[in-house]
Amino acid sequence: MYLLNVETYELHEFQGDNIPRYEYVILSHIWGEGEVSFQDLQAGRGPSKQGYEKITFTCKQACRDGFRWAWIDTCCIDKTSSAELSEAINSMYQWYKDSARCYAYLSDVGESDFPYAASTDESGYRRISKWFTRAWTLQELIAPPVVNFYGGGWRDKGRCEGTIAGMVSIITRIPKPLILGEVPLSQYSAAQKMSWAAYRRSTRPEDIAYSLLGLFDINMPLLYGEGARKAFIRLQEEILKETDDHSLLCWTVPESSYSAWTLQSVFATSPDNFAQSRDIKGHLFDSGIPSAVTNRGLQVRLNLTRRLYDESSHLYHKNVACSIYDAELNAAECEPGGDSYINQMSIVLVRTPQVARGHSQSVNRYARLATPVLGRISIEKCYTDIMEAVRNRAGLIYIHKHLLDWEQDRFGEGGVHLQNIPIVERLSPLSKKIQGSDPNHDLKIKSVLYSGLAKELRDLSAGVPPNTETGITWSPIYSCIKFEKPPPWPSGLPCCVIFGIGTSSNIEEPYSLLIAWNEDYIHFSLKPSKLQMPKFLSFEYWSELNKLTKGRELPQREGFEELWTKLFKTPDPSTHRGNCWEMYGEIARTRATIGAYDIELILEREDPKTEAGEAAGNRLHLLVRASTIKLREQSVFPFGSVPKTWETEKDTYTASERHTTDKMLID
């Protein structure tokens, strides 16, 4: 450790027990232009630099306060030595803690503005001093025994105590007793410490994590260049090596965030994820069951409760790939500012599905579903009962530290989901057959074709690279069409998906389900395949349309109708005017008779404002489900043949009328 002699301005090196604890002052500030480096000071170039003023002030104030030594990060660390820089960062919290006094210099604070900056932002609101928004100043506020604040021009703003400490507590969300040194840092949970670091920023992205080493009493190698995300995940891994604090898992994402309701790592990606966790503490009970970070992920024992979503969600619970659970943590929410437990906390996990025939579902591997809020379970029973439940029901699971490639961005920007109903019960080639069904008349999806796909996909177990033009792809793991990028798609062209419907015994698909949409129209029909215009979906046709528009978007209202008329027979009762991006709930219905089945299908847009659709977020999830499916009691018709009439509970339709009964609830 290098200390600066406040009289001679010379640097002296101290090691180990020779460091003069509580005999030096330390400066906390925000770096600016022209800071004086270690080499500048040694070479005598310091006085010519703009940052030299901070050094002279610190030394003069230290003399007035009766101290001989000072430490300033700009000139007391040889940053040309990676070893010395790593040692300094890993030791910095302790150096601030061992100082006699910390001078916090808030250069943007005016004569009587503390803790606000002298200038206002564009909207006219007063801004908090930047000092309170920087990553490194968090430990520089908590660690020292005494903090004195100074504003612009080195005006004394007072010691951090009394009213000033109260203001600082409100601004930083750090409890006042900790700021005053009345309560040790060890009494606060990992989530609480992380919440204090939320929304703080640093010049180098990795410093968001490195600046927290001291708060968690952690040491780890510095790898500048690894990025903020990796550095922060490494930090959390190191924390779990030292503590079994489940509050570290109590993070959330903003509801408007792209990450909301997507599969994520078990670890948070930023302290910002803990902004709502300031009242959460770990170690609700002594489980006696340690957790560990392994090469399979976080190994932990948790109580799991199945979460059931209905047909109005793309996470429909009967889909074998959507096994979703609430996992009870050994952490609890306390009364604000208190220690009384209110709720036990829980997070949402998704079991990793099977990926090959004969492969077990996942061997207890799970991914974290990032949610805007944490689950809360009211604590109405004694901890002894909770402990008993843990011993009896807690299962050993692994939560991914790194998502598998095919689990990343699971549903993209949305998709077309065939809900688990008889017509698609065997959509996944790995699913089991319906008990008691006749394999000769067992309806199933046998092929998929969509905009930009070069060739019809008949092997539904095969993955397909996303088309760069449309951003549409088929996901064999989750048995759905997935959007890789948000609409509208290039050139304003319609996008389509065709599902070929057949039976287990037939090779050909005499019927097809067509879904087509652009910003003005929606088409939804179940018709004989020869009427569904497979040419419309071909890669060559799509490319030709792109050439016609020369890659430019069509006018907002001109050209769409002409293009749509060329692609679809007009008028067509299966075509409806409307923008599906602006619709929620039921959009359209279509009916047909296929062999022995009378089928009515419903097209819906998942609504994030409903409990069932909460996981939709701001993505476009289109759901297809059956309203009524009747197996005729009379003799089975040859597949593809149609009787003259078919019956429903309310009406009878002739063969010529049956395709004109599509229902559109939103015009």
Side-chain angles (χ1 to χ4, degrees), residues 587-603:
I587 295 176
R589 297 190 180 209
T590 185
R591 296 179 181 180
T593 298
I594 305 177
Y597 294 88
D598 291 345
I599 301 175
E600 180 179 51
L601 299 181
I602 300 174
L603 177 66

Side-chain angles (χ1 to χ4, degrees), residues 186-231:
S186 59
Q187 289 197 13
Y188 295 92
S189 70
Q192 289 176 304
K193 295 174 185 177
M194 290 293 190
S195 73
W196 307 333
Y199 306 126
R200 288 177 176 261
R201 297 294 177 259
S202 62
T203 302
R204 304 189 74 168
E206 295 86 357
D207 283 341
I208 296 292
Y210 301 160
S211 64
L212 298 174
L213 293 176
L215 264 67
F216 291 96
D217 196 18
I218 295 295
N219 296 102
M220 71 181 199
L222 308 185
L223 302 175
Y224 282 108
E226 66 176 324
R229 182 189 182 105
K230 286 186 178 180

Side-chain angles (χ1 to χ4, degrees), residues 639-658:
F639 195 81
S641 65
V642 182
K644 291 184 179 180
T645 63
W646 62 290
E647 298 178 355
T648 65
E649 297 177 357
K650 295 183 179 181
D651 303 290
T652 299
Y653 301 90
T654 66
S656 62
E657 294 172 333
R658 69 181 185 280

